[in-house]
Amino acid sequence: MPELPDIESYLHGLRTHALGRPLQRLRMAPSALSLLKTYDPPFDALHGKEITGFRRMGKRIVWEFEGELFAVLHLMIAGRLRLHDRGKAIPGKVGLAAFDLPESTIILTEASSKKRASLFVHRGESALDQHDRGGIEPLEADLEAFTEALVAENRTLKRALTDQRIFLGIGNAFSDEILHAAQLSPVKHSQKLDEAEIARLHAATHEVLAHWRDHLIEEVGDGFPDKVTAFRPEFAAHGKFGEPCPVCDKPIQRIRYADNETNYCAQCQTSGKVLADRSLSRILKDDWPRSIDELD
């Protein structure tokens, strides 16, 4: 699922190629019946409207149009945006929609049999409130605000970081990277951290997210993101099961719970202890994400 740095790279590309242009037409694939979640105003109310801005709400991309119209796009797990020549046909198997601009077309695809991506069309700023999950923006939070949000409930650090009611925009991949950088166990509970550990987690959250946001935007340049993925060669922990930790050279471990996976270094994060899945199932119960949808 695209997370904060990935969404920011999309926003960069969209601002470069779509800002200030009119949306000439929004085309929907016949198979995309589940994509559009609203009917008033109709999606064709956006036709001919100038795109005045883009913003991020957690993991959602908000398109702003003249006349106080908004389109809120949630890519979910497998949704991706691609820039093409104007008028490009929507791909048959994975294509959901096409945003036609004067010089180009942005195609929305979803490479999954479970179509979870969603598009909402709203009129008025207040209508966007329904998409507010309640969490704080991690890159905007000082240590005091971060601490208050983190310890409000006694959750595992993995759960706390990925809960959009606590922190916006962080998901499975970057929570692994943050916890590795902070040298903290994913199963340690938030209210068990001392002040130094909280400060370390706050600093790691800022450093990891800001680094990857800036890196991905620089990578895009004047183009458009075409390598949005949860698995990157430069990652320290996420997706690196069995590979050497870049800090201590010990093999990266993993926790598999239902259809979710966490990667960590036992040497750097859990004092050498390898965490067992079956034990975690009993100990953590409802405090561990059971599915990728819970990381929304």
Side-chain angles (χ1 to χ4, degrees):
M1 181 183 297
E3 302 177 32
L4 187 155
D6 309 297
I7 297 300
E8 290 292 339
S9 72
Y10 271 135
L11 292 177
H12 174 77
L14 288 166
R15 288 169 182 146
T16 301
H17 295 278
L19 186 61
R21 282 85 158 177
L23 177 64
Q24 295 183 327
R25 186 184 177 196
L26 172 56
R27 291 179 280 137
M28 297 282 188
S31 59
L33 296 177
S34 64
L35 175 67
L36 188 64
K37 304 300 184 182
T38 54
Y39 63 91
D40 185 23
F43 73 87
D44 58 9
L46 304 176
H47 292 177
K49 300 295 185 182
E50 180 182 337
I51 302 169
T52 58
F54 292 96
R55 74 176 93 160
R56 179 179 57 81
M57 292 186 71
K59 299 176 187 176
R60 293 159 174 78
I61 297 173
V62 181
W63 300 54
E64 304 171 356
F65 295 86
E66 62 177 320
E68 209 173 4
L69 288 167
F70 302 91
V72 181
L73 177 61
H74 196 339
L75 298 172
M76 289 301 293
I77 303 169
R80 298 293 185 268
L81 295 172
R82 304 280 186 181
L83 181 71
H84 295 278
D85 293 337
R86 192 190 181 287
K88 172 77 174 181
I90 300 174
K93 289 186 177 180
V94 299
L96 296 179
F99 299 81
D100 289 329
L101 305 168
E103 304 94 8
S104 60
T105 288
I106 296 170
I107 300 283
L108 169 63
T109 64
E110 188 171 19
S112 171
S113 58
K114 297 180 179 179
K115 302 302 181 185
R116 291 169 168 153
S118 60
L119 178 67
F120 298 76
V121 179
H122 298 299
R123 189 184 303 277
E125 182 80 26
S126 62
L128 298 180
D129 291 346
Q130 64 186 273
H131 300 286
D132 184 358
R133 297 297 306 277
I136 63 173
E137 285 292 345
L139 284 176
E140 298 173 6
D142 60 16
L143 179 57
E144 181 180 359
F146 184 90
T147 302
E148 182 179 355
L150 180 68
V151 303
E153 297 181 29
N154 193 28
R155 312 307 300 268
T156 61
L157 295 185
K158 176 71 173 188
R159 183 60 164 163
L161 287 174
T162 58
D163 190 335
Q164 302 303 293
R165 298 168 300 173
I166 301 174
F167 299 110
L168 292 171
I170 304 174
N172 203 35
F174 284 101
S175 61
D176 283 354
E177 294 302 292
I178 289 167
L179 289 169
H180 182 273
Q183 296 189 321
L184 290 169
S185 168
V187 301
K188 188 161 187 175
H189 281 76
S190 57
Q191 293 180 357
K192 298 294 184 180
L193 298 182
D194 59 32
E195 290 184 1
E197 289 173 323
I198 293 176
R200 202 161 75 233
L201 182 60
H202 174 254
T205 300
H206 274 248
E207 290 166 7
V208 168
L209 294 179
H211 164 75
W212 278 101
R213 175 200 62 194
D214 296 344
H215 173 72
L216 294 179
I217 288 174
E218 182 180 3
E219 188 176 71
V220 170
D222 294 331
F224 199 84
D226 60 0
K227 298 177 182 178
V228 175
T229 175
F231 304 98
R232 296 183 177 275
E234 307 96 323
F235 277 171
H238 186 73
K240 298 295 185 176
F241 174 64
E243 297 184 32
C245 168
V247 175
C248 70
D249 211 36
K250 299 294 185 181
I252 294 294
Q253 303 298 317
R254 69 182 174 191
I255 304 165
R256 288 184 293 183
Y257 192 84
D259 58 357
N260 190 30
E261 181 174 312
T262 290
N263 296 121
Y264 69 98
C265 173
Q267 180 72 18
C268 294
Q269 297 174 249
T270 61
S271 302
K273 181 180 180 181
V274 176
L275 304 172
D277 290 1
R278 287 187 298 171
S279 298
L280 285 171
S281 299
R282 292 194 299 268
I283 294 170
L284 299 177
K285 298 181 181 178
D286 292 337
D287 200 54
W288 199 256
R290 293 177 180 274
S291 71
I292 198 71
D293 287 340
E294 291 190 38
L295 301 178
D296 172 14

